[in-house]
Amino acid sequence: MKTDDTLKNLTKRLMEVLPAEHRMGLCVSGEMPLTGELEEIMLLLKGLLFPGFFDRETVSENTRYYKTGIDLARMQELLRHQIARGFMFCCDKDEASVTALAAEKVEQFSQQLPEIKRLLLTDVEAVALRDPAVNNFGEVVFSYPAIQVMFHHRVAHALYKLDIPIIPRIISEMAHSKTGIDIHPAAQIGEYFAIDHGTGIVIGATSIIGNHVMLYQGVTLGAKNFQYDAEGHPLDLPRHPVLEDNVTVYSNASILGRITIGHDSVIGGNVWVTESIPPCSRILQAGLRTATDFTDGAGI
């Protein structure tokens, strides 16, 4: 039938490998990481880092220890498989050659879980104490996008530092799609990091954020420009801002380039900052101010 011939012809055309696919290395022959399994890994990690909050079944305190061990083992098994897939997909390695490497990476990551939990608890405290609408800390864990995105970021950043390909970015994009907050897994973020509202925040790969920093919605920590190699490829050099301790950045501010925002500074809303700012500065659209009338958000 003519319809069958049309279908066969279209199928053949879709199966053809285009020159652009060759040039970009998009001729996939091996197994790729599975987003479904990565989502299960993140759900298991949520339960491990926030015991009792995300249980899918009733667990008594008497059985919590055993459930934690079972979930930890399950998470490690799934993560080993996905890390191996990531290496095969990105590094053109076969499964046999990456099995031991994946197991080593999972063990190294697992040892970081207590520190990831400690950091997340500082984020919960920072968000709760900076938002008068919070009723209790549990509400922040359950429902605040700041904690959802930081949970994903703390995990993705730990995996990124272990040189695990592609999976950290997938994990970051899971949170990005749900919260509208875009944090590259390479970004370095200190303790007690708080985000209020959060939609539209962008934090670039080489950003460095100190302790007790607060960002409001729409803030961009971005690059002002790029440097290129001889072949026209952008170089992965430090190009995003450094925010020192106790910095607050109000909504829709854009801080661009490898500049430093000094500690205890306040950046007002809708400003465009492309030069370094000394400590204890106050920045408005009108320019640098040294007045001391910026207490609790007043004067912004």
Side-chain angles (χ1 to χ4, degrees), residues 221-225 238-242 255-260 273-274:
L221 304 183
K224 186 168 63 175
N225 51 41
R239 58 197 178 277
H240 300 101
V242 177
I255 305 175
L256 306 178
R258 192 57 164 191
I259 62 175
T260 298
V273 183
T274 58

Side-chain angles (χ1 to χ4, degrees), residues 79-234:
L79 187 56
R80 277 195 299 270
H81 190 42
Q82 294 312 305
I83 288 175
R85 281 175 170 260
F87 277 117
M88 287 187 288
F89 175 64
C90 295
C91 306
D92 194 25
K93 297 178 180 291
D94 58 73
E95 186 172 2
S97 67
V98 300
T99 299
L101 178 60
E104 178 185 352
K105 297 293 185 182
V106 169
E107 178 59 28
Q108 293 172 343
F109 168 74
S110 298
Q111 293 301 319
Q112 297 183 54
L113 290 177
E115 175 62 10
I116 292 173
K117 178 177 181 177
R118 187 192 70 80
L119 288 169
L120 284 171
L121 291 176
T122 71
D123 299 332
V124 171
E125 185 173 359
V127 170
L129 296 181
R130 287 174 175 261
D131 186 353
V134 171
N135 294 309
N136 57 68
F137 290 101
E139 178 185 15
V140 175
V141 174
F142 266 126
S143 58
Y144 271 53
I147 302 308
Q148 180 165 340
V149 75
M150 286 310 296
F151 162 66
H152 281 73
H153 176 72
R154 301 287 190 196
V155 170
H157 184 66
L159 295 170
Y160 177 88
K161 290 193 298 181
L162 292 172
D163 296 321
I164 294 170
I166 199 169
I167 290 174
R169 193 58 186 263
I170 295 174
I171 290 173
S172 293
E173 289 303 319
M174 288 178 182
H176 182 195
S177 65
K178 292 178 180 178
T179 66
I181 302 169
D182 182 3
I183 307 178
H184 193 282
Q188 301 176 47
I189 301 179
E191 302 176 349
Y192 296 94
F193 180 62
I195 292 173
D196 197 4
H197 305 297
T199 305
I201 284 177
V202 176
I203 301 176
T206 62
S207 298
I208 300 176
I209 298 175
N211 301 325
H212 298 279
V213 170
M214 174 80 167
L215 305 183
Y216 286 81
Q217 68 273 14
V219 168
T220 297
L221 304 183
K224 186 168 63 175
N225 51 41
F226 305 102
Q227 296 183 38
Y228 297 88
D229 63 18
E231 297 179 354
H233 300 132

Side-chain angles (χ1 to χ4, degrees), residues 223-266:
K224 186 168 63 175
N225 51 41
F226 305 102
Q227 296 183 38
Y228 297 88
D229 63 18
E231 297 179 354
H233 300 132
L235 295 172
D236 188 11
L237 299 173
R239 58 197 178 277
H240 300 101
V242 177
L243 273 58
E244 295 183 344
D245 296 347
N246 302 304
V247 168
T248 298
V249 185
Y250 281 88
S251 58
N252 299 310
S254 294
I255 305 175
L256 306 178
R258 192 57 164 191
I259 62 175
T260 298
I261 306 301
H263 64 80
D264 296 282
S265 292
V266 175

Side-chain angles (χ1 to χ4, degrees), residues 16-27:
E16 293 176 357
V17 178
L18 300 179
E21 289 178 281
H22 274 298
R23 186 177 70 253
M24 293 186 284
L26 297 179
C27 306

